[in-house]
Amino acid sequence: DIFFAKVKDKAARRINPTQFEDGVALMAQKRGLAFEAIVKVLMDTDGPVFEGTEAEASRFSERAAGSSQESPNAPVYLNGKPMRSMSSKLLSPQAPQQPRKALSSEVQDAFRAFAASGEMDGKAFSKVARDAQLVDRACSNIDIDLIFAKVKPKGERKLSVEQFDDGLAEIAARKGVDYQTVVDAVAACGGPQFVGTKGDTFVATELRQKGEGGIPRTSSSRSSAGSSVSSRPGTAHVQQQPALEVPGERMDALRALFLAFSPAGEMEGKTLQKLIRDAGLLGDALTMTDVDLIFAKVKHFGSKRLEFDQFVRALAEFAKKTGREHLELSQAVLDVGGPQFSGTKMDAVKFYDDKSLFTGMYGDDDTRQAAVAKKQQAGVGPKAPEVDDSEDLRWVFRQYCPNDEMEGKTFAKMVRDAGLLDKQLTMTEVDLIFAKVKTASSQRKIVYLQFLKALGHMALKKAQPVDLVVDKLVSAGGPQFYGTVAGANKFHDDKSLYTGMHAAEEDRDEQAKPQARRMVISNEPASSLQEVFLRFSPTGEMDGKTFAKVAKDSGVLDKALTMIDIDIFFAKVKDKAARKISYEQFESGVREMAEKKKVPFEAIAKELMLCGGPVIEGTVAEKNKFHDDKSLYTGMHGREDGYAAQLDTPPPRPKTAQVEVEVGYGPADSLEEVFELFSPSGEMDGRSFAKMIKDARLLDKGFAPPDVDLIFAKAKAKGVKLSFRQFNEALEAVAQRKKIEFDALAQIIMDAGGPRLVGTHAEPNKFHDDKTTYTGSHGR
């Protein structure tokens, strides 16, 4: 590790061939050997060596003491000191490579037998070694795993047939035998060997017939109860049970019954249980547990369903279990005829069976409408009369629903206002009639034609002529409103009794109520969409609240574009985890608005530009005598208008005067000098730019501080300050906004000079100015 850290580059994690050679030289120096000797040992290793831990402690001692010859894996000593385990493998001479034959058919056949998919994993490779009896003390299971890891490609988990052949060669080298000996042992095993316990003749026969994994068996997997057997040559076979003798016609009938219960051709355990239960075969001799056991007995190992032949054998087992003849039991099964279904039949219910009584969302289904039509065609019950269209009915309909669609509650109010309710036509009947004339269960309103049908149903329900019902609706004259008239109140109605603030000169009812006043920062429309963005967000970033205000102030909100849509668009265009959007994202949001309203993008942009900027709303307060009439002021507030003088009080002191103090700056000779005076660092921020405009007295109603901030934001680059070039561009924008020549604006700014500082001059104070009045430590 030290050598590796020494030869690698700083902060690197790998070394190149040159650095690897330097590391080998350090190894030789550390061990006291020649560089060529270490290189020769490394070249003889022929790649990485894999090793593991064997649980048997006697493995290495037996190998060392079993022969007088030097073992290939004996420890190697350098300078009288044994090397470490990995080093002994790296520095020990390799056993001579065993001569290998070309890829033989035996190897290919064995590979296909153990790896039917064409690739062999480590588990199958270990099974090859075990079934071929290649695992012993010289080559343990761990050695087999190491050999598998050695011959497989790096990063892969399976072997090809060529890599399988290399693995057999490694096993031969590990065991110290010829390669052909290992191949012959693998070929002699004849394929995978399976070991199990015999439980019954049926199971053994079926396992032998079907087999597992697509590999042919040479013998039964079970030989005797409780004994362990294999499929190696020489193992006794279990005789197959002779097939049941069933007449052909009965076999066809059983097959038809089998398909009736299992249309897919395979029967599950629960289906077999239902068949036995439907045939009435369950009892003390044959319980449901016996059915499950026989099902598990006759099915294929690992399967969950029965084929037809297994179903016939299961019937034979049922006959044996119950002590009946097979033909007798099969006849009992055939008498079932197919799956039997049982249930409880409910009593007749008028409100369920008669679908013409269905109401609400259930009253509009096709079955009910068909039943009503059928009754009408058969002459069951009278048919609702038709109502002719008229201008009076259209006028009534529009009075109750100006949008040409009538809700259920509006329909009920119309009937109530017209005085049509009685014992025959109750409010419940009105709701039923409304639900009847609707065309769909999801519909909540009716149109004019459905309204006419509803009038016919009302006339039918009341058993009155249609004209009488129509006359009552027309004579009602539209919606009726009800309320309570308050009684006379002297102290409220006689305004001459009002006192206090209510007893003003003007009548209180005639006083103007507070009205909202809209104030716009910039009265001029914006020239571009970007200017609108900057007026609402001078910082260059807009939050969701401001984005919603843009939509509200510009008047683009309506039924098609709601405030909820605005919030969704803002969340859609902003970056993830961000709370503000840039101008590009703002433009994307405007496009979303246009798409939602189904209008061109330019139309929405024009509405926003006409808005100009934020709209500020406020409330104008009512007149207040004690606030507006300053002659009523008292105390310190009364001195301003001479109210205190009327009371023969001393005149008030003069107000504190504010004086402008110039710090020695006179008119400047050039704009560059003004720029240096306001920004000594060489870059001007927004506050200094605004102060320069203010000191030059350029602000007025048409050019407010927000306009100054907008011009500064346009002129500056991605940074936060202006260079002298950007300063000149900003002044050009100011001149264009104030509609004056640039030279005239420059002269005004140069005449103003540098920054002007304003302070407050304090009033004279006797106890501060007259030091003879000082006491204590200050009087000394």
Side-chain angles (χ1 to χ4, degrees):
D1 295 338
I2 295 175
F3 295 159
F4 181 83
K6 191 172 183 180
V7 300
K8 75 179 182 68
D9 295 332
K10 188 175 182 180
R13 305 182 74 177
R14 294 177 175 85
I15 60 176
N16 55 36
T18 303
Q19 296 167 334
F20 174 72
E21 186 176 352
D22 296 339
V24 174
L26 292 175
M27 293 182 198
Q29 182 180 357
K30 182 68 176 179
R31 299 300 300 175
L33 298 174
F35 175 75
E36 292 76 9
I38 296 293
V39 172
K40 184 177 183 304
V41 172
L42 294 177
M43 294 173 63
D44 291 341
T45 58
D46 193 22
V49 176
F50 302 92
E51 65 175 21
T53 304
E54 173 63 43
E56 298 176 5
S58 62
R59 170 186 170 194
F60 301 100
S61 61
E62 290 177 359
R63 184 177 299 170
S67 175
S68 59
Q69 289 185 336
E70 183 179 358
S71 172
N73 295 324
V76 177
Y77 291 84
L78 291 177
N79 296 337
K81 297 181 181 180
M83 300 293 290
R84 292 186 302 171
S85 175
M86 180 63 78
S87 300
S88 66
K89 290 222 172 186
L90 289 172
L91 301 178
S92 62
Q94 293 292 321
Q97 186 72 20
Q98 299 289 343
R100 290 178 47 185
K101 296 182 180 180
L103 200 61
S104 61
S105 60
E106 292 86 353
V107 174
Q108 296 181 12
D109 293 341
F111 182 80
R112 283 194 293 269
F114 283 90
S117 63
E119 289 183 326
M120 180 179 291
D121 56 10
K123 184 177 180 181
F125 187 73
S126 299
K127 184 166 178 59
V128 171
R130 287 196 306 271
D131 291 352
Q133 299 181 357
L134 297 176
V135 178
D136 54 14
R137 291 186 178 182
C139 185
S140 64
N141 288 322
I142 295 178
D143 295 324
I144 298 298
D145 294 338
L146 291 174
I147 290 173
F148 176 82
K150 182 176 181 180
V151 298
K152 76 176 180 65
K154 187 175 181 180
E156 299 292 335
R157 305 180 111 182
K158 296 184 179 181
L159 302 179
S160 63
V161 64
E162 293 81 4
Q163 296 158 353
F164 171 67
D165 186 63
D166 295 338
L168 297 182
E170 290 290 337
I171 293 175
R174 183 69 178 176
K175 292 176 67 67
V177 298
D178 293 334
Y179 163 75
Q180 189 59 39
T181 304
V182 175
V183 173
D184 294 341
V186 173
C189 73
Q193 309 300 314
F194 298 94
V195 179
T197 303
K198 178 179 182 259
D200 194 277
T201 305
F202 267 134
V203 179
T205 302
E206 291 300 322
L207 285 175
R208 181 173 55 78
Q209 285 183 345
K210 186 171 183 178
E212 291 190 51
I215 302 171
R217 306 286 180 85
T218 59
S219 67
S220 172
S221 61
R222 325 280 168 116
S223 62
S224 61
S227 64
S228 178
V229 298
S230 68
S231 59
R232 297 187 181 92
T235 306
H237 291 256
V238 178
Q239 297 298 329
Q240 181 179 359
Q241 181 182 2
L244 296 171
E245 296 181 359
V246 181
E249 295 180 358
R250 177 158 298 192
M251 186 67 74
D252 294 339
L254 287 175
R255 188 180 298 276
L257 180 67
F258 179 79
L259 293 176
F261 276 88
S262 303
E266 292 182 331
M267 180 177 288
E268 296 180 343
K270 61 181 180 181
T271 309
L272 182 62
Q273 293 175 1
K274 177 170 177 56
L275 173 61
I276 298 301
R277 185 168 57 247
D278 292 348
L281 299 177
L282 294 177
D284 295 337
L286 183 65
T287 63
M288 195 62 74
T289 303
D290 296 328
V291 175
D292 292 337
L293 292 175
I294 292 174
F295 176 83
K297 184 177 183 180
V298 300
K299 72 181 181 67
H300 288 311
F301 182 74
S303 176
K304 294 185 177 181
R305 294 176 176 85
L306 298 181
E307 298 176 354
F308 177 68
D309 295 339
Q310 299 162 345
F311 169 68
V312 174
R313 292 196 182 95
L315 295 182
E317 288 292 325
F318 293 145
K320 180 179 177 182
K321 182 68 177 176
T322 57
R324 303 167 67 176
E325 293 294 335
H326 179 268
L327 296 178
E328 180 186 355
L329 185 134
S330 62
Q331 184 60 44
V333 172
L334 289 173
D335 292 340
V336 176
Q340 306 297 318
F341 301 97
S342 60
T344 303
K345 183 178 180 181
M346 60 187 300
D347 295 334
V349 179
K350 173 184 177 183
F351 298 100
Y352 177 80
D353 299 333
D354 188 0
K355 300 191 182 218
S356 63
L357 301 177
F358 285 9
T359 60
M361 61 179 293
Y362 303 101
D364 291 328
D365 92 324
D366 298 336
T367 305
R368 182 194 62 79
Q369 293 183 357
V372 173
K374 185 176 180 181
K375 286 184 178 181
Q376 292 177 353
Q377 292 176 2
V380 179
K383 185 179 179 180
E386 295 184 359
V387 181
D388 297 331
D389 183 17
S390 65
E391 291 296 331
D392 293 337
L393 286 178
R394 287 183 179 273
W395 179 83
V396 172
F397 186 79
R398 292 195 187 97
Q399 289 296 318
Y400 281 92
C401 47
N403 58 352
D404 295 334
E405 286 185 334
M406 181 177 287
E407 296 180 342
K409 62 181 181 180
T410 308
F411 181 73
K413 176 175 175 57
M414 179 193 68
V415 175
R416 186 170 57 248
D417 292 348
L420 294 174
L421 296 178
D422 53 18
K423 293 183 179 181
Q424 288 78 23
L425 184 65
T426 62
M427 192 57 71
T428 303
E429 295 295 340
V430 173
D431 294 337
L432 290 175
I433 291 173
F434 183 83
K436 185 181 294 185
V437 298
K438 292 192 304 177
T439 56
S441 59
S442 59
Q443 184 181 1
R444 295 193 173 185
K445 298 180 181 180
I446 60 174
V447 296
Y448 179 69
L449 294 179
Q450 296 168 333
F451 166 71
L452 296 180
K453 293 181 181 180
L455 296 184
H457 284 287
M458 285 195 297
L460 178 63
K461 191 66 179 176
K462 290 176 67 67
Q464 294 179 358
V466 175
D467 296 338
L468 182 59
V469 174
V470 172
D471 291 341
K472 287 186 177 181
L473 286 177
V474 175
S475 61
Q480 307 296 321
F481 300 96
Y482 303 92
T484 303
V485 178
N489 189 313
K490 174 182 178 181
F491 298 100
H492 177 272
D493 300 335
D494 189 0
K495 296 184 179 181
S496 61
L497 301 177
Y498 285 7
T499 60
M501 61 178 295
H502 302 285
E505 296 179 0
E506 297 180 357
D507 189 30
R508 188 169 182 271
D509 292 338
E510 298 178 357
Q511 292 181 1
K513 295 183 179 180
Q515 298 180 355
R517 182 178 59 189
R518 294 171 59 87
M519 296 178 291
V520 183
I521 290 181
S522 178
N523 295 327
E524 297 181 4
S527 59
S528 64
L529 192 61
Q530 186 174 9
E531 184 175 353
V532 174
F533 177 79
L534 292 175
R535 287 184 180 180
F536 278 91
S537 302
T539 60
E541 289 184 327
M542 180 178 291
D543 56 12
K545 184 178 180 180
T546 308
F547 185 71
K549 183 172 176 60
V550 172
K552 180 181 178 182
D553 293 350
S554 60
V556 298
L557 297 179
D558 54 16
K559 291 184 178 180
L561 182 65
T562 63
M563 191 62 72
I564 297 176
D565 297 325
I566 299 299
D567 295 337
I568 293 174
F569 295 156
F570 181 82
K572 186 177 180 180
V573 300
K574 75 179 184 66
D575 295 331
K576 189 176 182 180
R579 295 190 175 184
K580 297 183 179 181
I581 58 175
S582 61
Y583 170 71
E584 291 77 11
Q585 295 168 331
F586 170 76
E587 186 176 354
S588 300
V590 176
R591 293 185 184 277
E592 293 287 343
M593 296 182 196
E595 183 177 354
K596 180 68 175 178
K597 290 176 67 70
K598 298 181 180 179
V599 297
F601 167 75
E602 293 75 10
I604 297 295
K606 184 178 179 181
E607 292 290 336
L608 298 183
M609 289 187 291
L610 289 177
C611 172
V615 176
I616 310 299
E617 294 185 358
T619 304
V620 178
E622 296 181 352
K623 294 182 179 180
N624 190 309
K625 174 181 178 181
F626 298 99
H627 176 272
D628 299 336
D629 189 359
K630 297 186 178 180
S631 63
L632 302 177
Y633 286 8
T634 59
M636 60 179 297
H637 302 287
R639 299 174 183 174
E640 183 176 358
D641 292 334
Y643 182 75
Q646 299 176 6
L647 302 177
D648 298 331
T649 57
R653 296 179 182 179
K655 292 180 61 179
T656 301
Q658 290 186 344
V659 295
E660 296 181 353
V661 182
E662 297 186 2
V663 191
Y665 297 115
D669 296 332
S670 63
L671 288 177
E672 186 173 1
E673 182 180 353
V674 175
F675 182 79
E676 292 177 354
L677 290 174
F678 278 93
S679 54
S681 62
E683 290 183 328
M684 179 178 291
D685 57 11
R687 184 172 61 179
S688 301
F689 183 74
K691 179 170 178 58
M692 181 198 70
I693 298 297
K694 180 180 178 182
D695 291 350
R697 293 183 173 84
L698 294 173
L699 297 177
D700 52 22
K701 292 184 178 180
F703 187 58
D707 299 320
V708 177
D709 296 336
L710 287 174
I711 292 174
F712 178 83
K714 286 183 180 179
K716 74 181 181 67
K718 292 184 179 180
V720 295
K721 296 183 179 181
L722 296 178
S723 62
F724 182 69
R725 179 182 59 81
Q726 296 167 338
F727 172 71
N728 285 328
E729 294 176 357
L731 293 183
E732 291 178 358
V734 173
Q736 184 178 0
R737 183 59 186 269
K738 293 188 67 65
K739 298 179 181 180
I740 60 177
E741 296 292 335
F742 177 79
D743 296 338
L745 176 68
Q747 187 62 43
I748 293 174
I749 293 176
M750 289 187 294
D751 291 343
R756 300 175 59 193
L757 305 180
V758 178
T760 302
H761 188 274
E763 296 180 353
N765 190 310
K766 173 182 177 181
F767 298 102
H768 176 273
D769 299 336
D770 189 359
K771 298 185 178 181
T772 60
T773 59
Y774 285 9
T775 60
S777 62
H778 301 285
R780 299 175 185 175

